[in-house]
Amino acid sequence: MMPDPRTPRPGPAAMLYRSGEGAAETHLRAFAAALRARGVRVGGLAQVTERDAAGRKVRMDVIDVASGAPHDIMQKLGPDSKACSIDTQGLAGASTVLRAALARGVDLLIVSKFSHLEAEGQGLAHEMFAALAERVPVLTLVPESHALDWLHATAPVGRLLAPTLEACWRWWGPHGLYDELLSAVPADATARRVVVGLNWTLVEGPDGVGLAQTPTRDGHGCRPPPGAGDLTGRPLAELAVGARGHGPMAQAIGAAALNAALNADLNRGDLAGKTANGLDLFAEAAATAETPVMVGAFPGVRERAPHVRVIERTPGPDRHPEHAAAALIPDADAVLLTASTFANGTLPGLLALTRPDAEVTVVGPGTPLSPMLFDHGVTTLAGLVVTDAEGLARAVAEGCGARALRRFGRDVVLGAPAGL
């Protein structure tokens, strides 16, 4: 079987930094803000340190990442003092923010720092380990001088991260991908039309049309979704929730609803893409890759990249079975994932297997065209933006195949920004 889509939440991690550097503090706050903007429940404290022209600390605050409220944690000792500048009473007062975040329930707890106080069981150590006991992911900063203390305190699950946003995203992983995408669905958008065809499922929203592959009727757990026959006119977000996993049919409708919302940005011109064939782009990358892997058998690719390894639900002489994904994908330098992995819920688990430097392409009419996926290891998204909703709805209802869909839209490719 393909990897479980419910990939586990990550263990505790700390961004490693050198004394006097402030980039890690900036990245920690930026990462927390990005997750909160995507609907992830993030709470805790992030540090802000101000220095003068000579590099001396002049102010230290810890900021409540949920409310933005600052808490001063710096003692005023004078410029020549060598003593620790942290006001332990101020830090103790700020610790109530962490306890309150855990009490209300969070998906991620931000802890400003793991330093000498925490290594000695003081500072914010109690709240940090309370979160770990409840299996709440913790992200913090650790100076190089206390890296081993951090690893010993969180063994065997604790990790050290480079002080970059990319490292944070790779650590966080794609386990919450569907929830992140759901945050992009407007609350007031409704489904104008829902069509479940033999091969494809279509959901039309106010500004876009989304597609997903229809699951086979005799597949395990495949049954009509709740409310079937009364889906048109429902909130798009209500349908999209099905993508989290409530049965194959509900997942397909949910994926199509998500795509209807995501494709609206391209229809309105809020998001720029280029016209290209994603399969051709992967074939070019696979031709020079050492270990390319393709999930799903795509016609014609093997002729252009003979050494590509194919993973399929119906294995054969040249096709590996599904369970081979866990062994093949981590070694692959180029990976192609069919958009059906988004509709059937296996996409997060597959992305979790990819290595950081791999070229990862998601291809198909049901590809979610959202830059959010670039933060989870995807480098290229190749999908379809519908331009003739009426014609497409009729074709889907008549059981058309994938090739026929292209008559009703345009191929669009989004590439990850340089540096990701």
Side-chain angles (χ1 to χ4, degrees):
M1 296 297 291
M2 289 292 188
D4 190 332
R6 296 163 297 185
T7 51
R9 294 193 293 181
M15 278 196 283
L16 193 64
Y17 71 94
R18 293 180 179 177
S19 179
E21 293 180 345
E25 289 184 359
T26 302
H27 292 319
L28 186 63
R29 297 194 304 273
F31 182 63
L35 285 181
R36 283 179 54 80
R38 298 183 185 187
V40 180
R41 299 177 303 166
V42 182
L45 297 167
Q47 186 162 314
V48 179
T49 305
E50 296 180 13
R51 298 177 182 272
D52 61 18
R56 294 186 295 263
K57 295 177 184 177
V58 295
R59 185 176 180 86
M60 282 194 303
D61 290 329
V62 285
I63 308 296
D64 183 337
V65 298
S67 69
H71 299 262
D72 187 355
I73 60 166
M74 183 172 177
Q75 297 187 79
K76 308 304 184 285
L77 300 175
D80 298 323
S81 174
K82 302 298 183 181
C84 176
S85 58
I86 294 178
D87 179 353
T88 55
Q89 289 187 335
L91 190 63
S95 68
T96 59
V97 172
L98 300 182
R99 293 194 291 276
L102 289 174
R104 67 175 179 267
V106 290
D107 302 311
L108 171 64
L109 187 72
I110 300 293
V111 180
S112 54
K113 190 173 292 186
F114 182 95
S115 194
H116 68 282
L117 287 175
E118 287 71 27
E120 296 167 0
Q122 303 177 53
L124 302 176
H126 177 77
E127 291 74 20
M128 184 181 300
F129 291 109
L132 298 184
E134 296 179 20
R135 298 188 178 182
V136 175
V138 171
L139 181 61
T140 186
L141 307 179
V142 63
E144 290 180 337
S145 57
H146 290 284
L148 287 179
D149 293 325
W150 164 258
L151 292 175
H152 287 151
T154 58
V157 293
R159 289 182 56 188
L160 291 172
L161 306 180
T164 65
L165 277 176
E166 180 184 7
C168 291
W169 283 114
R170 293 297 300 190
W171 164 77
W172 181 246
H175 67 278
L177 177 60
Y178 291 97
D179 288 335
E180 292 178 37
L181 294 174
L182 281 166
S183 70
V185 181
D188 58 350
T190 58
R192 292 181 175 178
R193 174 164 34 195
V194 178
V195 180
V196 179
L198 178 65
N199 295 307
W200 294 94
T201 293
L202 174 151
V203 174
E204 181 180 1
D207 300 300
V209 176
L211 289 164
Q213 197 163 20
T214 301
T216 57
R217 186 67 181 86
D218 59 349
H220 176 70
C222 189
R223 59 180 63 88
D230 190 31
L231 300 179
T232 298
R234 287 195 178 185
L236 207 58
E238 181 182 317
L239 298 181
V241 166
R244 287 177 175 159
H246 301 281
M249 195 64 73
Q251 281 182 287
I253 293 172
L258 278 174
N259 285 334
L262 300 173
N263 290 352
D265 290 338
L266 286 152
N267 281 337
R268 292 192 301 262
D270 298 340
L271 186 64
K274 65 180 181 179
T275 301
N277 184 294
L279 210 53
D280 290 340
L281 294 176
F282 174 76
E284 293 174 8
T288 57
E290 293 183 2
T291 54
V293 169
M294 182 167 55
V295 178
F298 291 86
V301 174
R302 188 178 289 280
E303 285 73 14
R304 288 177 282 179
H307 61 306
V308 69
R309 292 173 292 182
V310 179
I311 300 171
E312 252 289 356
R313 285 188 166 178
T314 54
D318 296 323
R319 299 178 182 181
H320 297 273
E322 288 181 314
H323 60 76
L328 297 180
I329 292 179
D331 291 330
D333 51 358
V335 179
L336 183 143
L337 304 173
T338 174
S340 64
T341 61
F342 176 62
N344 65 26
T346 59
L347 180 62
L350 292 166
L351 291 178
L353 294 174
T354 62
R355 70 191 212 192
D357 62 339
E359 290 290 325
V360 180
T361 303
V362 182
V363 173
T367 296
L369 295 170
S370 169
M372 292 186 192
L373 277 83
F374 298 143
D375 291 325
H376 298 297
V378 176
T379 54
T380 303
L381 294 166
L384 182 76
V385 173
V386 176
T387 55
D388 180 4
E390 291 292 334
L392 180 62
R394 183 172 58 253
V396 167
E398 293 175 358
C400 74
R403 290 185 179 180
L405 299 178
R406 298 177 68 181
R407 293 187 290 133
F408 308 100
R410 57 190 176 92
D411 291 331
V412 172
V413 169
L414 301 179
L420 281 183

